[in-house]
Amino acid sequence: MNGSELIRPTKELVPQIKAFRDEFINSLNWLHGAQGLRYIEDPEEWLEYSKRLENEETVPNGSSPYTQFVYLRKTDMKIVGMLGVRHRPTEPIETWGGHVGYCVCPSERRKGYAKAMLRDVLPYCKSIGLDRILLTAGDENKGSVRTILANGGVLENYVLSPRHQIMVGRYWIET
Ligand SMILES: CC(C)(COP(=O)(O)OP(=O)(O)OC[C@H]1O[C@@H](n2cnc3c(N)ncnc32)[C@H](O)[C@@H]1OP(=O)(O)O)[C@@H](O)C(=O)NCCC(=O)NCCS
């Protein structure tokens, strides 16, 4: 999207990470695609945690490496969204999870940021060997479903999400 960039979070963005987290915590929204940020209040600690998730050697419990991105609006240097990529569709990802999760600040929704973030991460996914990525969304999450469809998502089937106890659609996007 013009004027915004999908980048890896760094220490220079500590105030923006804090502001992003505060907005979510205050709105009681889920922080999809910002792994650990709900529970880790200190942005520097969260940055270190994110770094550990990136590598096979340091990711906890032998789960998939995970790369964190933020979507930075250059005009006012605000983080408007976050997006995370899991490198491998390990269990339970291959049934009800997915490679990519994302969220947009409640105050910045319906401006096209989710569609743009997802589009912008596709080259990165390809670069780590993912020729196609899996995303899941319940039909009630119309914003997420439309974000996926706008990026070429093709519905494979519906499965029960044990975590949320709802049926979620499994969509594949070619990178
Ligand atoms: C889902 C979410 C990421 C959408 O972000 P967004 O920046 O508002 O989405 P966009 O502005 O790019 O809109 C994408 C499409 O969804 C539609 N849309 C967005 N929110 C919608 C809503 N609440 N109801 C219906 N349609 C909606 C837009 O109109 C657009 O559709 P179009 O391409 O047909 O015009 C955001 O609502 C969010 O952060 N939700 C909480 C976290 C979450 O559910 N993440 C997804 C699961 S991993």
Side-chain angles (χ1 to χ4, degrees):
M1 198 169 192
N2 275 350
S4 302
E5 200 181 3
L6 192 68
I7 56 170
R8 312 290 287 280
T10 60
K11 280 192 176 172
E12 289 69 42
L13 293 173
V14 159
Q16 288 94 328
I17 294 167
K18 184 180 179 331
F20 186 88
R21 181 179 188 275
D22 286 349
E23 187 173 333
F24 266 87
I25 300 295
N26 293 334
S27 68
L28 303 174
N29 263 247
W30 277 97
L31 271 157
H32 292 288
Q35 204 156 312
L37 192 57
R38 170 165 297 276
Y39 307 104
I40 305 175
E41 206 176 332
D42 175 1
E44 297 211 21
E45 200 183 309
W46 178 70
L47 286 167
E48 281 166 26
Y49 173 75
S50 300
K51 264 260 159 298
R52 286 201 298 280
L53 295 184
E54 273 180 35
N55 298 313
E56 197 78 63
E57 301 74 39
T58 50
V59 67
N61 308 324
S63 52
S64 167
Y66 171 92
T67 305
Q68 183 66 56
F69 290 92
V70 299
Y71 208 47
L72 185 70
R73 186 168 61 200
K74 292 295 200 52
T75 48
D76 57 358
M77 297 300 276
K78 178 176 179 178
I79 292 177
V80 291
M82 291 206 187
L83 181 150
V85 178
R86 288 191 190 90
H87 297 204
R88 271 199 316 269
T90 50
E91 282 286 343
I93 293 172
E94 73 184 0
T95 50
W96 55 270
H99 288 102
V100 174
Y102 43 79
C103 61
V104 169
C105 264
S107 63
E108 302 291 349
R109 289 187 183 162
R110 306 207 74 161
K111 298 179 183 175
Y113 287 124
K115 279 199 290 192
M117 284 197 303
L118 183 54
R119 181 200 62 213
D120 290 354
V121 84
L122 298 181
Y124 171 78
C125 294
K126 189 151 193 85
S127 78
I128 59 167
L130 297 172
D131 290 332
R132 59 181 199 148
I133 53 171
L134 176 66
L135 296 97
T136 61
D139 283 352
E140 77 299 333
N141 194 344
K142 292 190 174 56
S144 190
V145 170
R146 289 172 76 150
T147 296
I148 296 167
L149 294 177
N151 277 286
V154 176
L155 178 65
E156 182 172 300
N157 59 1
Y158 286 89
V159 295
L160 179 70
S161 161
R163 187 191 289 171
H164 302 110
Q165 286 301 309
I166 55 163
M167 297 301 282
V168 291
R170 298 172 72 244
Y171 299 83
W172 290 98
I173 296 178
E174 304 281 333
T175 60

